[in-house]
Structure formats: structure tokens, C-alpha cells
Amino acid sequence: PSSGFWLLSLSEDGLVGLLPLATEGQGKPVTVPPPRGGARGLPQRQCQTWYPHDCGMFFMGDSRGTLSIWDTRSLQEAFSFPFREGDLRDLSASHGSRLLAVAGVTNTIRLFDWGSGSETHRLGGHVDRVDSVHWSRRDPNLLVSGGRDMSVRLWDVRRTNACLLMFSEFKSAVPLSETVGEPGTPLGLSCAWTSNTRSGNWHVASSRSIPNKRLRVGNKVNSHTTPVVKARFSDDSRHVISRGLDGRVRLWDVTTGHIVVDNFPGSLALPRVQYAISSCASFACATDSRTLFVANDSSITTHDLITGLRVHTMRGDGMFTCVTVHPFLEILYSGNVDAGIISFSPILLGNSQALEDG
């Protein structure tokens, strides 16, 4: 939930639900039925995300490659844009611009300006399908992505050579000299967090210019040993959290690209149903950027984000498929395969309340 007033949910059959959080546990959620009842051969909704500044509109992508913008008040589609390449896997809206990052069946990330209704440019570098994209909340130009090529990449959309670094499972970031330019070329990126005193935002600064050459697509760097199903910034954007299909959750330092936590204890391999729903957020970071919640089959584990230590395990009925955190309150929401939404209060760990079934 971006504003904390509504919880946006998407079921495997394409049913969109809007649950009013102001009246938690009371009343019925508003739903948008699947297209024509979700008949075979018709597009299925695959992913969704809020407009980041209020709950007035949200974005959805379907299996035919159509991006649509919806008005929350009328629950009507206001605009649609066909990408013609099918199966949009993930969406992320920038907090500082009108750009929407779109991940689909190709190895290219599309940047879409929802204000003008046009595609602005593409980010190439992945060697297989991109399954996850996420904008930084602190710097509107930083984007992280993960895909079936088992890599997690950091992008600066202002640059000609947009890929800043590729997180490597061998403890250190892969220098651009290994994939760009001639052998022995100095590393073009020296990251440091600097503060914009006027806006209060943080951004990555470089002490040297990045070589103006494209990444060689043939060079492959692994961040995981299995396809990356989710990659997300922490709320303060100092870290990136990623999860592979084998369930391994890793924490990366954005400034160095090094692994901070190799695997959070208790992380299990993702069930097939959880990977089938492309927009499943199988982990969530608290707004204080100190706590991580990980969905593991029939339980949700709570970890210290920096040390990786498991603090608590919360259990419920059914298999958990996704988790998200309220932006202002200490409440965790989780969806499960029984089409239910459960809320957990971290103050009373282990105590849960079923919000709505069906």
C-alpha cells in the first residue's frame, strides 16, 4: 500500500482486490473481475503496482503485453498501451518522475512515461527474461532488476551506459572493466552516498566517468545459482534484497556491490505456485530498513536486515505467497493460496487476524 488507505491485491486467476485498511477487518473489499471471467485464450493479469504518491490510480500488466492505467475511484481503465511482446512480469513506478519500469518476456527493460503515454527508452544487458524491476525511493534515477539469467543489476537511467554494476555471488561487484572497454580499463564507478540538502534525497555519486561503451551481452555474471524471482531496494536504498528460485535470499550493499548477508536462515525453495504468479512479493522490508519479512511456505520469518539473524517465526493457515508492510503502521499483510489476506502485528508477534477470504 503506497498511501496506507488501500491494499491492492491480485489473485492467480486475475481478480483484483482493493481492501480499505481504514476499516480493517470490516466491510467487503472492492474487486475488479478478471477479463470475461478469465476464459482460456484471453489475457490474464500478471502484475500490478500503485501510483507512488497517492491511491488515486494504479497500473496493471497482463499476459498479452498490455499495460493499463486504472482509476481507483471509478474502477475503470483510463488508458492502455500494448507492448506487443506479451507476458508483462513486473512493474515499478518511479517516486521522482513519471517513468514506469516494465519487465516482460524479453531481456530488455522498458521505461514508459505514463503522462505522455509513450515509451522513452530501453535498458539492455540481461541475457534472458527480466522478472523483477524496482525503483529506488531515494534516487529517482536508480533502478534494480533481476531475471532468469541469475543476475541482479543496478541501473542509472540518466547514463548512456545505464548499467552501473552487476552483483556477483563471489562476494564482490563485477567491475565494468570486465565487461566494458579494453582489458585493464580502470573501474568507471566509485560509489558513495551523497545528500541533496535541498530535497533531502540520497543518490549514488561517481568519482570517475563511466566508459561510454555498451555492456557485452555475452558476458554473464551470476548473482544467484538459480533464476532471480525478486529484487528490491530497502526503504533507505542503501541495500538491495534479492531472492532466487531456490529460496535463497541475499542482501547486497549498493555502494560496493558486496554481499552483506549470503542467505537468511530458514529461507525455503519457492513452491511452483508462488513462482507462477509473477508479481508475488515473497519478502518485504520494514520502513525502518532494519527488519526483513520472508514468506516460507506455511510460515513468515522475521530477520534483522543487516545481521541476517532470525528474530521470530509467524505461522498461519495455508501456504503464504506474498507479504507487504504498511507504510506507516506496524502491520504486516500476507496473502496465501486459500485466497485469504492475513494481517500480523509485529508488536504482538504471532498474533494474526484474517481480513478477508475469497
Side-chain angles (χ1 to χ4, degrees):
S2 63
S3 64
F5 293 105
W6 293 90
L7 178 66
L8 179 64
S9 64
L10 177 64
S11 65
E12 188 177 9
D13 61 2
L15 178 69
V16 177
L18 290 168
L19 180 68
L21 300 183
T23 57
E24 181 178 309
Q26 303 176 10
K28 295 291 183 180
V30 181
T31 59
V32 181
R36 299 178 183 272
R40 180 173 296 181
L42 294 172
Q44 292 292 315
R45 294 169 183 146
Q46 296 276 80
C47 49
Q48 85 292 330
T49 187
W50 282 110
Y51 171 61
H53 299 295
D54 60 56
C55 56
M57 66 178 179
F58 57 93
F59 309 93
M60 282 197 294
D62 65 29
S63 59
R64 295 244 180 115
T66 300
L67 171 67
S68 56
I69 302 176
W70 287 70
D71 180 85
T72 306
R73 182 181 296 273
S74 64
L75 289 181
Q76 296 293 321
E77 182 179 307
F79 178 82
S80 64
F81 181 84
F83 281 94
R84 297 186 180 89
E85 294 181 359
D87 198 15
L88 300 186
R89 304 290 294 178
D90 198 15
L91 304 172
S92 181
S94 173
H95 288 258
S97 68
R98 299 186 305 184
L99 291 179
L100 188 72
V102 180
V105 294
T106 67
N107 58 357
T108 303
I109 301 169
R110 310 293 187 86
L111 298 184
F112 176 80
D113 187 331
W114 56 263
S116 62
S118 61
E119 181 180 334
T120 59
H121 53 294
R122 305 181 183 187
L123 305 177
H126 282 277
V127 296
D128 205 337
R129 186 181 74 191
V130 183
D131 277 342
S132 180
V133 287
H134 190 233
W135 289 100
S136 166
R137 292 178 59 89
R138 299 291 183 177
D139 189 327
N141 300 299
L142 286 184
L143 180 75
V144 67
S145 65
R148 291 183 62 87
D149 60 358
M150 297 180 280
S151 72
V152 178
R153 297 173 180 245
L154 182 68
W155 309 83
D156 186 336
V157 299
R158 296 168 298 182
R159 300 179 181 272
T160 303
N161 180 25
C163 186
L164 291 179
L165 58 85
M166 294 170 284
F167 298 101
S168 170
E169 63 179 336
F170 298 107
K171 304 296 182 184
S172 61
V174 174
L176 293 180
S177 60
E178 296 187 14
T179 54
V180 179
E182 301 301 326
T185 303
L187 173 63
L189 177 68
S190 177
C191 291
W193 286 98
T194 61
S195 175
N196 185 327
T197 55
R198 293 184 179 180
S199 63
N201 292 335
W202 295 80
H203 65 278
V204 173
S206 175
S207 62
R208 295 189 297 272
S209 61
I210 292 181
N212 188 18
K213 296 185 179 180
R214 291 183 177 271
L215 287 170
R216 294 174 184 170
V217 176
N219 289 315
K220 183 179 178 182
V221 175
N222 289 350
S223 307
H224 287 259
T225 56
T226 57
V228 179
V229 296
K230 219 67 182 176
R232 291 288 183 266
F233 281 103
S234 61
D235 194 67
D236 60 8
S237 297
R238 294 175 183 265
H239 297 92
V240 165
I241 308 122
S242 62
R243 190 171 196 178
L245 187 57
D246 61 355
R248 183 179 292 269
V249 181
R250 284 177 166 164
L251 180 71
W252 309 86
D253 189 309
V254 171
T255 60
T256 63
H258 292 184
I259 295 178
V260 179
V261 178
D262 185 55
N263 188 33
F264 289 84
S267 300
L268 304 175
L270 295 180
R272 183 176 180 181
V273 65
Q274 193 169 5
Y275 183 57
I277 307 174
S278 62
S279 59
C280 274
S282 56
F283 60 80
C285 183
T287 53
D288 60 1
S289 297
R290 291 291 304 177
T291 306
L292 182 71
F293 303 96
V294 181
N296 292 298
D297 199 1
S298 60
S299 66
I300 299 174
T301 53
T302 307
H303 303 266
D304 183 281
L305 181 66
I306 305 303
T307 65
L309 295 176
R310 181 164 50 183
V311 178
H312 195 83
T313 300
M314 298 174 282
R315 302 187 184 277
D317 297 329
M319 183 178 70
F320 295 108
T321 57
C322 56
V323 287
T324 188
V325 179
H326 195 288
F328 309 119
L329 305 177
E330 293 185 347
I331 300 176
L332 176 74
Y333 299 97
S334 176
N336 58 29
V337 294
D338 299 325
I341 297 175
I342 299 176
S343 67
F344 292 89
S345 172
I347 298 176
L348 301 172
L349 288 172
N351 292 343
S352 63
Q353 177 184 10
L355 297 185
E356 186 64 34
D357 292 325

